[in-house]
Amino acid sequence: MTGPRLTLPRRALLAAGAVAPFAAGVAFAQAKRSNAARFSLGYAPHEGSFASRGGLLEQIAYAADQGFTAWEDNEARSRPVAEQTRMAQALADRGMTMGVFVASMPKWSQSRPVLGADDGAEREAFLADVRSGVDVAKRLNAKHMTVVTGFLDRKVPVEIQTARVIDVMRRAGDIVAPHGVAMVMEPLNTRTNHPGVYMQSIAQGYAVARGANSPGVKILADLYHEQIQSGNLIPVMDACWSEIGYIQFGDNPGRNEPGTGEINYANIVRWLRQRRYGGVIGMEHGNSIKDRAGEDRLIAAYRTIDAQ
């Protein structure tokens, strides 16, 4: 299931010398139509975006057939090594770029880790996550991995916490940068999903990234979270552009595909083109409708904004 669905049977027939010119012409025409349908930007579905099509590898193949050129997998780190390897091969076979996976995430039930707190053990545990994340990134051919900087410590002034977070992110940048990998720090909203987190806006991530001053430390601009927390999306991204390493889409409210909420993603796509953004755009959201009707609507939503 990792190769093009049209070309694998054709290769088998060619090996037997049994392909008729007509069949070859049909296969070529179908492949040509599929190539013409490729999206112009690197929108990246994830497992679950096309759940009706089968398992992980089947969903990757289906996404490629629909013209998607990238893939995202927050859960990749927790997958067995053999499955990571199969996924990387499936993406390579279809010419798709691997987006982010999560390298370090707090345990939400425990409100930790707290990178800005007094406990240095939390920072060392975070750095251990980063070190092992490099191996996952190499296996997946990934250039970015997500990190979440944890929760606020109500007993420590936020300025002191910021200095500590910058220090640990600088150390983490020294770990990943030599491997051509960048951590992207994800600001999260506190109003709907993640009360109490330390990093709450792209602007705050910009301050930390500038302080760390490392090519291995950038911001993940998740526009769903930013819309809830701060809004003013295009001016904020414009001001912080030098430190934004990765982008994720998701409409608000509901965190579903573009067109289901209040964010004008068509204008954002236009702006990204003006910026000549060539990176991955993670489709960090659900489908507003279940099953295949929802998958069709998802594809249509991205066709609409991609045409802008």
Side-chain angles (χ1 to χ4, degrees):
M1 300 303 296
T2 60
R5 292 180 176 179
L6 293 171
T7 58
L8 283 178
R10 183 168 173 262
R11 287 174 187 162
L13 289 170
L14 278 169
V19 175
F22 175 77
V26 170
F28 176 79
Q30 290 174 334
K32 187 174 181 180
R33 282 200 300 272
S34 176
N35 290 337
R38 287 165 68 92
F39 286 96
S40 66
L41 294 180
Y43 311 113
H46 53 83
E47 187 177 22
S49 295
F50 303 113
S52 76
R53 308 295 169 167
L56 174 63
L57 300 186
E58 288 79 10
Q59 291 185 52
I60 289 172
Y62 182 76
D65 287 344
Q66 307 317 303
F68 291 100
T69 59
W71 188 260
E72 185 176 271
D73 189 356
N74 283 342
E75 308 302 323
R77 182 187 182 118
S78 63
R79 298 184 187 278
V81 169
E83 188 174 11
Q84 293 175 21
T85 302
R86 286 193 295 270
M87 179 170 65
Q89 187 62 55
L91 295 175
D93 288 345
R94 302 306 295 264
M96 299 176 78
T97 301
M98 178 64 192
V100 292
F101 65 95
V102 175
S104 184
M105 178 76 73
K107 294 181 173 62
W108 301 112
S109 60
Q110 299 176 13
S111 296
R112 300 189 73 82
V114 186
L115 298 184
D118 292 328
D119 186 358
E122 297 286 356
R123 289 185 284 280
E124 294 302 323
F126 170 78
L127 292 172
D129 282 348
V130 170
R131 289 187 188 94
S132 59
V134 170
D135 294 332
V136 179
K138 289 180 177 180
R139 202 173 293 126
L140 297 173
N141 298 314
K143 299 301 181 184
H144 299 89
M145 57 188 192
T146 304
V147 297
V148 176
T149 53
F151 292 83
L152 283 166
D153 188 331
R154 302 296 181 185
K155 298 179 181 179
V156 178
V158 68
E159 295 84 358
I160 294 175
Q161 294 183 66
T162 295
R164 290 172 174 168
V165 171
I166 288 172
D167 284 345
V168 74
M169 294 308 298
R170 187 180 296 124
R171 292 173 62 191
D174 289 343
I175 293 169
V176 302
H179 302 282
V181 177
M183 296 171 299
V184 285
M185 304 175 292
E186 184 173 14
L188 303 170
N189 81 80
T190 64
R191 297 177 177 178
T192 301
N193 301 104
H194 303 293
V197 295
Y198 165 77
M199 187 170 287
Q200 303 174 12
S201 69
I202 292 172
Q204 188 182 9
Y206 178 79
V208 172
R210 289 299 294 267
N213 191 29
S214 168
V217 181
K218 296 296 178 182
I219 308 162
L220 192 168
D222 185 319
L223 301 188
Y224 163 78
H225 287 299
E226 187 70 12
Q227 175 68 7
I228 293 172
Q229 197 72 12
S230 302
N232 203 32
L233 297 178
I234 290 175
V236 167
M237 286 196 293
D238 191 56
C240 301
W241 188 247
S242 64
E243 303 302 329
I244 292 175
Y246 194 92
I247 296 170
Q248 288 178 333
F249 282 6
D251 219 335
N252 178 64
R255 201 170 192 177
N256 288 313
E257 70 271 10
T260 56
E262 65 189 359
I263 301 176
N264 190 336
Y265 273 111
N267 275 349
I268 289 171
V269 165
R270 275 193 213 98
W271 184 83
L272 289 173
R273 284 209 181 92
Q274 291 170 0
R275 275 287 187 174
R276 299 185 182 278
Y277 180 71
V280 175
I281 300 171
M283 295 162 56
E284 178 75 337
H285 55 75
N287 298 353
S288 61
I289 300 175
K290 293 181 179 180
D291 302 323
R292 293 203 174 186
E295 295 167 9
D296 291 343
R297 178 168 177 169
L298 174 71
I299 296 166
Y302 277 88
R303 291 282 177 217
T304 298
I305 64 171
D306 195 57
Q308 302 305 307

